[in-house]
Amino acid sequence: MSRTSSKEDNFMNGLWMDYQGFTLFKTDIIIDYLKEFENYLENKTQEIESKILEWQKSEKEHEYSGADYYEEDYLNYQIYYRQLKLESVFLSSYASFEHFLKNMTKSYQQYFDLQIGAEDLSGRNYIAKSKKYLEKVIGLNLVGTDSIWNLIIKYQAIRNKIVHNDSRIGLQDKNIASQIAGISGVSINNNKIILMNKDFIISFWKLFDEYIEKIFTATREKITAPNTVYN
């Protein structure tokens, strides 16, 4: 018969509160910020379009094209500023996700009173180490997260290309190109990864929510399982 003690309840409540706090003070703020920034870019773009129309109706158009005159400003607000901001916010989001998992695995290490931590495991990044730690060391059944994990790997590949290769993909990266095709808000142009709108990052945070909730479900199943030894 399964049962829980105050220790298990406190542990689960602590995990949940950490997750809620992170969502409130990190993910929600990032998403709101992205929406405000995109509104700002759209307003600036419309403002430039209005200036072009006004220019074209004036005598200035006979001397110099209004579209040519405002081309740089238009491209900055429509493409380059957006791309720069989305990349920086995505990299920050990815780092925050990684940091959250690092703190979470430490909570598991403390709860189960283990000497080994996720950082002691082999692996190239902490997100992968955390998954290995929760499965192999803590003993969580994370089979139900496989489809989510495969998407996380795709975001990870995009992040690595942005950081280590100036967003560019080579001939050896054909698999990345096919993976990107299924993600909203991102595309490839001239062999370069382009983040097009906020949907890319919002989808990343939705994936984070799904992954963490699956981990919590697996944790609850483990600590309430029959034959669990309680102190």
Side-chain angles (χ1 to χ4, degrees):
M1 181 177 180
S2 64
R3 60 193 179 93
T4 60
S5 68
S6 58
K7 180 181 178 182
E8 285 93 33
D9 289 337
N10 289 339
F11 176 58
M12 290 302 302
N13 288 337
L15 291 177
W16 181 252
M17 289 179 65
D18 288 343
Y19 168 66
Q20 289 293 301
F22 184 85
T23 299
L24 180 62
F25 295 108
K26 179 64 68 171
T27 61
D28 288 351
I29 290 175
I30 288 176
I31 291 172
D32 288 343
Y33 172 73
L34 284 172
K35 291 177 179 177
E36 289 296 324
F37 183 72
E38 193 145 300
N39 287 337
Y40 167 75
L41 292 180
E42 290 299 328
N43 290 335
K44 293 297 291 187
T45 300
Q46 291 175 10
E47 180 182 320
I48 293 171
E49 289 173 348
S50 296
K51 288 181 178 180
I52 293 175
L53 288 175
E54 183 178 344
W55 181 294
Q56 290 173 339
K57 294 176 183 179
S58 71
E59 292 298 322
K60 297 178 182 179
E61 186 69 18
H62 298 296
E63 300 176 8
Y64 195 84
S65 168
D68 289 342
Y69 184 83
Y70 287 105
E71 180 182 20
E72 183 177 352
D73 288 341
Y74 184 83
L75 291 175
N76 282 339
Y77 286 105
Q78 184 69 9
I79 300 175
Y80 303 125
Y81 292 165
R82 175 178 281 107
Q83 174 71 6
L84 181 62
K85 181 58 66 176
L86 289 174
E87 283 187 356
S88 63
V89 174
F90 171 55
L91 295 180
S92 176
S93 296
Y94 185 93
S96 296
F97 177 34
E98 195 171 46
H99 186 68
F100 179 86
L101 288 177
K102 184 175 183 178
N103 287 338
M104 188 174 72
T105 56
K106 287 184 177 180
S107 295
Y108 281 85
Q109 180 182 0
Q110 182 178 10
Y111 173 76
F112 288 99
D113 194 22
L114 300 172
Q115 293 298 315
I116 186 172
E119 66 275 5
D120 298 315
L121 302 182
S122 61
R124 300 179 62 182
N125 61 80
Y126 208 94
I127 290 180
K129 285 184 178 183
S130 69
K131 184 176 187 294
K132 183 186 293 187
Y133 186 78
L134 294 175
E135 286 184 310
K136 305 300 183 183
V137 180
I138 303 301
L140 299 188
N141 179 6
L142 298 182
V143 173
T145 68
D146 286 349
S147 61
I148 299 173
W149 180 254
N150 289 335
L151 283 172
I152 291 174
I153 293 300
K154 293 179 182 181
Y155 277 94
Q156 186 178 78
I158 293 171
R159 176 263 178 193
N160 289 342
K161 285 300 175 184
I162 293 173
V163 172
H164 301 299
N165 206 37
D166 191 29
S167 301
R168 299 189 180 279
I169 60 173
L171 295 176
Q172 72 279 12
D173 299 317
K174 291 182 179 179
N175 61 322
I176 294 180
S178 62
Q179 290 174 345
I180 288 176
I183 300 178
S184 176
V186 60
S187 66
I188 296 176
N189 187 18
N190 293 326
N191 294 321
K192 189 167 185 177
I193 297 172
I194 304 296
L195 305 187
M196 299 183 298
N197 57 57
K198 65 182 183 301
D199 291 345
F200 174 78
I201 299 173
I202 291 175
S203 295
F204 175 77
W205 282 120
K206 288 181 179 178
L207 197 65
F208 163 81
D209 288 338
E210 293 176 20
Y211 186 56
I212 298 302
E213 288 176 6
K214 291 282 189 181
I215 291 175
F216 286 175
T217 297
T219 303
R220 176 63 70 180
E221 290 173 352
K222 177 178 175 58
I223 66 178
T224 61
N227 302 321
T228 300
V229 178
Y230 297 90
N231 294 329

